[in-house]
Structures are given as C-alpha cells and as structure tokens.
Amino acid sequence: MKILKYLFLLLLLSLVALTVFVATQKGVFTVERSKVINSPKATVYNYVNDFRNYEDFESWSVEDPSIKMTFPNKTVGNGASFYWTTSEGNGNAITLKTKDGESIQQKMKYDGTEADVNWTFKDTLAGKTKVTWKAKGTMSFLFKIYTALNGGSDKVIGTIYEKSLVNIDKNLDYETKTFAIKVNGVVKKTETPYIKQTFTSEIQKVNKNAKIVIPKLIEFSKNNGLATNGKPFIIYHTYDTKTGLAKISICLPTNKEIMTTSGSDISGGKLDGFEAVKTTLTGDYSHTNEAIAKTTAFINNEKITPDLSWSHLEILTVNKFDVKSPSKLMTEIYFPTKPKVIPVAKVPVYRNDTEPTAPKPTETPKTTPEEEQSEF
C-alpha cells in the first residue's frame, strides 16, 4: 500500500510540476514550412485563396471526418472566412489582406489559440511554385499542455503544415492535369439579350475578374426584376497575346433586353445570332490556350473563314460558382466565322416553241480530220 501511495504522490507531483511549467511558459509560437508545388503560381494561389478548398487539403480536416466546416457566401479574397466545429473545440479563419498571386494574410482562432497566418507564392523553374506557410501566435493553456507532451509547437503545427502542403500538391496535380478538349465543329449561336460590364483586363486575370463581376450582375438582375436565361459568358472583343490584354464584356443572359441609365457601369445589350466553331473545354481554365490552339488548327484545316471583327465568346457552363474542383469546370468556346458563300445555280431559260424563230442561214457541215480521211 505504501508503494501505491508513493506512486500516486509522485504522479500528482509530476502533474503539478507540468502544470506549473506550462503555466509559466509564454505560449508564443512561430512555425514555418515550405514546399515546391508542381503547379503554376496562379493556380496554386487561387486554390489556397478559396477557403472552400481547405477541407480537401488541411491534414487535420482530412484525417478527422467528424469536423464540420461552414462556409459563408464569401470564401475568396479580402474578408473571406469559414468556421469549423470539432468534438474538442471550435475555430474560424478570416482573410485580412491579399496581394494577387503573391501573398495571403489571415487570422486564425481555435479554442483560445490565435495566430497570424501568412502564405507566400514564388515562381520556380519549369512552371512550379514554392509555397511558404508561416504562423505566429499564442497558444491556449490546453494547447500548451498538448504541445509540451508531443514534442513542442514547431513539431505539432509543423507536421500539420507539412502534410497539408503535400495534399495541396497531390490535389492540384490531379485537378490541373485532368482535362479534355473537344472541337465540336460549326454551329449556329442564337441571339441572346444580356446585361454586361465592359472593360480591359489582363488575360490571365479574366476569370478572377469574372468571379467579382458576375455576383454584381446577379444582384443587379434581382434588384431590377430580370430573370436570368442561361449561364454567364464572356465576350472577347479583342485578345492580344503580345500585350497580354483583352477588351472584354462579362455578361449575364436575361429574358429581355434592357436600357440602363447613363453613367451606370452595368449596361444592357443583345448578342445577335452568328455562326461559329464551338470547342468544349472540360477542366481548369489554365488549358484555355490549348483549346484555342486546337480550334484555330481546326479552322485552318477545314478552310473556314473566321470573322475577325471580334475575337471569341466563352460560356462558363460549369463554373467556380457551381463546383470547387477545377477538373469539373466546363467552358464552351465559340469562334465566330463567316458563312460559306453558296454559288447560285444558273436558272435555265426555256424557249416557247409557239413563238416564231428567225431561219438560220444554210451552213456547210464541218468534218473532223478523221471524217475527211474516211471519205476517200
């Protein structure tokens, strides 16, 4: 019995000592991990910048199916946020500041632990991206105990970051490389009334701008009693690969054509029907140039005459508002063409046999050299 008392006392003293040790620690931590991701910088940045993707790559979320994540309407860019609940506590994160394609600053809170989180993205050779994920903050009392018993904050949080970065690499490697391009051929596009916002954009930022403008168009249509009549689309008035710029109209099809007041950044219009070569891209937007190249080759091979008065049209058939997986996106691309000119057949002229005709002069029949020789 004395031995059990001594063991119990020793255990109690150990717990007291651990508690005193933990309580006297400041609980400040700094953790940083980096990894080269096998995807372009813009793709990696856009993936991390959308909180909806965190449940697919955050290692603690992937490994614990009991975690429930809640996403508000805004999950991308400044002011984006999400929340999660577990059997051990609740947490939330918010994006404070972004620098397009370069960095993301966030604030994270979890059951008394708080951290300032910073992501940076750097180009490397062969189109890859070096991602650095850094957190600096203070731990709750329970988290200090947990990290003290499991090798320290750097090991505990660092392991989470390492596994999560590996998940980002695997997910994007699949998502960006899984795509299909089909040239559907010549089709007729019917006329479409729409509301739009027109401006000049960097080509690589067109889809980012679309994610900003489309919600504005949807809100405008609701406020003005308009019914949408299809998926959003983008008209490329110009597409200059040398300057990297395009003049575009981001459009939302509506049930009727409208006129807007002067000075409004949103206006109405109607897309007249036209003939075009249609191509369907299933997969990430980064393969748009490949789809355009295949379409151009088809036009040249089939000797189709393009309509050069404008560039092309992209319908966001399945877009970022519908799915979060890049491999499931679908974009219909229409390159305007000039209709083929069909030769007009000559209409035969029929003579009325009842009408008198002038007599023909008598002519001596002509013979071929072969006929002349046969007469002798």
Side-chain angles (χ1 to χ4, degrees):
M1 294 294 294
K2 289 185 178 181
I3 295 177
L4 291 177
K5 290 182 180 180
Y6 287 137
L7 290 176
F8 176 76
L9 182 59
L10 181 61
L11 179 60
L12 181 61
L13 291 174
S14 298
L15 289 174
V16 171
L18 177 62
T19 302
V20 172
F21 171 77
V22 171
T24 56
Q25 301 304 303
K26 293 181 178 180
V28 176
F29 67 91
T30 300
V31 178
E32 180 177 320
R33 294 293 188 273
S34 296
K35 181 174 176 57
V36 175
I37 306 296
N38 190 32
S39 296
K41 185 172 72 169
T43 301
V44 182
Y45 172 84
N46 291 332
Y47 186 71
V48 175
N49 195 31
D50 190 342
F51 277 134
R52 292 182 302 169
N53 295 317
Y54 282 48
E55 62 182 341
D56 294 329
F57 74 78
E58 284 271 26
S59 65
W60 48 267
S61 173
V62 174
E63 295 170 2
D64 184 359
S66 68
I67 293 177
K68 294 182 179 180
M69 292 189 173
T70 303
F71 302 97
N73 292 331
K74 186 173 179 58
T75 61
V76 179
N78 297 345
S81 61
F82 81 110
Y83 310 85
W84 67 91
T85 59
T86 71
S87 57
E88 300 175 355
N90 304 325
N92 68 83
I94 183 170
T95 298
L96 303 176
K97 183 179 180 182
T98 61
K99 185 177 181 181
D100 189 40
E102 303 293 335
S103 63
I104 302 171
Q105 295 179 20
Q106 301 167 334
K107 185 77 173 180
M108 188 275 292
K109 297 180 180 180
Y110 175 65
D111 202 27
T113 297
E114 297 187 11
D116 294 315
V117 180
N118 189 63
W119 298 79
T120 57
F121 307 86
K122 301 291 183 182
D123 282 317
T124 65
L125 297 175
K128 298 180 181 182
T129 309
K130 182 181 179 181
V131 179
T132 300
W133 189 0
K134 183 178 181 180
K136 183 177 181 180
T138 55
M139 295 179 283
S140 66
F141 180 75
L142 291 178
F143 195 57
K144 283 195 290 183
I145 294 177
Y146 178 79
T147 57
L149 295 174
N150 290 274
S153 59
D154 186 77
K155 181 180 179 180
V156 172
I157 300 173
T159 300
I160 293 174
Y161 281 15
E162 290 166 5
K163 290 181 178 180
S164 299
L165 289 170
V166 169
N167 290 338
I168 291 174
D169 194 22
K170 287 181 178 179
N171 292 352
L172 284 179
D173 198 46
Y174 171 82
E175 291 294 342
T176 57
K177 291 183 179 180
T178 303
F179 72 100
I181 298 172
K182 179 182 179 181
V183 179
N184 305 95
V186 179
V187 299
K188 288 187 176 181
K189 191 76 178 68
T190 57
E191 68 175 29
T192 307
Y194 59 81
I195 53 175
K196 66 177 180 178
Q197 186 171 350
T198 302
F199 53 92
T200 298
S201 168
E202 292 181 35
I203 293 174
Q204 64 178 3
K205 294 182 179 180
V206 168
N207 288 295
K208 176 191 174 183
N209 288 327
K211 291 180 72 174
I212 297 172
V213 173
I214 290 172
K216 291 172 58 179
L217 297 176
I218 294 174
E219 185 67 20
F220 181 91
S221 66
K222 290 179 179 178
N223 294 338
N224 290 275
L226 292 172
T228 58
N229 190 29
K231 290 293 186 176
F233 60 91
I234 304 171
I235 300 173
Y236 286 80
H237 305 284
T238 62
Y239 190 89
D240 192 338
T241 55
K242 291 183 179 179
T243 62
L245 298 175
K247 183 180 179 181
I248 61 172
S249 290
I250 298 175
C251 310
L252 185 69
T254 55
N255 60 332
K256 61 183 178 180
E257 186 178 2
I258 65 164
M259 300 292 291
T260 56
T261 58
S262 177
S264 173
D265 60 346
I266 295 176
S267 58
K270 184 178 72 173
L271 182 67
D272 294 329
F274 63 97
E275 285 192 3
V277 173
K278 175 185 175 182
T279 295
T280 302
L281 166 64
T282 303
D284 189 64
Y285 297 132
S286 60
H287 300 290
T288 301
N289 287 339
E290 295 168 75
I292 290 175
K294 282 195 173 184
T295 308
T296 303
F298 177 86
I299 290 173
N300 293 335
N301 292 337
E302 298 296 320
K303 296 181 172 56
I304 298 171
T305 304
D307 181 354
L308 301 179
S309 61
W310 56 292
S311 180
H312 64 283
L313 171 77
E314 292 180 3
I315 300 180
L316 308 179
T317 310
V318 180
N319 54 66
K320 288 286 189 179
F321 297 101
D322 302 320
V323 297
K324 64 180 180 180
S325 300
S327 63
K328 296 179 181 178
L329 298 171
M330 182 179 291
T331 308
E332 295 178 0
I333 307 173
Y334 295 82
F335 272 81
T337 62
K338 291 184 177 180
K340 287 186 177 181
V341 178
I342 302 175
V344 179
K346 291 184 178 180
V347 180
V349 178
Y350 296 96
R351 180 174 57 85
N352 188 347
D353 292 334
T354 61
E355 294 180 0
T357 57
K360 293 183 179 180
T362 302
E363 295 180 353
T364 304
K366 293 183 180 180
T367 60
T368 65
E370 290 82 2
E371 290 174 331
E372 290 176 348
Q373 289 177 0
S374 64
E375 291 178 359
F376 289 93

